[in-house]
Amino acid sequence: MITIKSENYNLISQDFYNKTIDSLDLKLVSCTCGHSGCLIRYGYYKRNVQLKDDRITLTLVRVYCTACGHTHALLLSSMVPYSQIPLNIQMAAIHAFESGLSPERILADQCFIDENNLKAVIRAYRLHWKERLHSAGLSLFDRPSLVIGCFSHFSRQFMQIKTTVNKLFLLPT
């Protein structure tokens, strides 16, 4: 998969996703195999995302690498691979956990996320990410640096549990 770094971590919508992906020049995006200029749009798939006050289904773009023959999903950096819960909500739950706040404070603000979802996020953080962040010197409080640092040190998005190859693409400014 290929993650596109977007500046807005709180905005997830089909329109925002489409605008971000359509603004990409696929010739500049490199595949996980390292080749550039070899990605072509290949198809789409649906993915559910649980937002603060809504549950939406996004249609995500898949690309095919003509060099290595692999397909990749194009995700935004506000999304966590293999999770329906966006990065900003997972980080809020982790901040609450680290601050000693009760999960009820987060749940009161979230209509579509239940206590079991939050417990799973906290468990994944404790088991897979807390020590990694500490060993790499990454802070939970600087989201852009955290995302870039996780890709740099671990080759995956923060809170991505499966070790599927993931590559971060920074949009040209």
Side-chain angles (χ1 to χ4, degrees):
M1 83 190 54
I2 299 170
T3 299
I4 311 303
K5 185 174 179 309
S6 59
E7 296 302 319
N8 192 335
Y9 288 92
N10 294 322
L11 181 59
I12 296 178
S13 70
Q14 188 67 58
D15 188 52
F16 180 69
Y17 177 83
N18 291 345
K19 285 180 181 175
T20 303
I21 299 304
D22 290 344
S23 72
L24 291 177
D25 182 357
L26 286 179
K27 292 178 183 142
L28 300 177
V29 180
S30 61
C31 176
T32 58
C33 70
H35 287 93
S36 293
C38 56
L39 296 176
I40 57 172
R41 283 187 186 231
Y42 188 68
Y44 304 91
Y45 73 99
K46 303 270 187 201
R47 178 172 172 183
N48 293 321
V49 179
Q50 297 175 351
L51 301 178
K52 176 179 167 179
D53 55 358
D54 196 9
R55 183 176 292 135
I56 64 171
T57 301
L58 293 177
T59 301
L60 301 179
V61 173
R62 293 192 63 74
V63 293
Y64 175 79
C65 177
T66 57
C68 70
H70 287 99
T71 60
H72 304 285
L74 296 181
L75 301 178
L76 300 178
S77 55
S78 55
M79 304 165 86
V80 177
Y82 309 107
S83 177
Q84 293 183 6
I85 302 172
L87 182 62
N88 64 333
I89 295 173
Q90 291 195 32
M91 289 186 73
I94 293 165
H95 282 295
F97 168 76
E98 290 289 0
S99 301
L101 299 174
S102 69
E104 288 79 26
R105 292 191 78 174
I106 296 173
L107 289 172
D109 200 28
Q110 309 291 330
C111 297
F112 286 92
I113 297 174
D114 63 23
E115 189 172 353
N116 290 332
N117 294 134
L118 289 183
K119 285 181 181 179
V121 167
I122 299 304
R123 184 175 56 251
Y125 169 71
R126 286 183 30 251
L127 291 174
H128 301 282
W129 283 99
K130 187 172 183 174
E131 288 302 317
R132 283 187 175 132
L133 295 183
H134 182 69
S135 69
L138 297 173
S139 170
L140 280 170
F141 300 101
D142 183 6
R143 197 173 299 160
S145 295
L146 177 65
V147 168
I148 291 171
C150 285
F151 275 96
S152 173
H153 290 283
F154 313 115
S155 299
R156 57 182 140 159
Q157 172 67 296
F158 176 59
M159 291 302 287
Q160 177 182 339
I161 302 306
K162 290 187 180 180
T163 57
T164 306
V165 177
N166 193 345
K167 185 171 181 81
L168 182 65
F169 178 74
L170 304 172
L171 291 169
T173 54

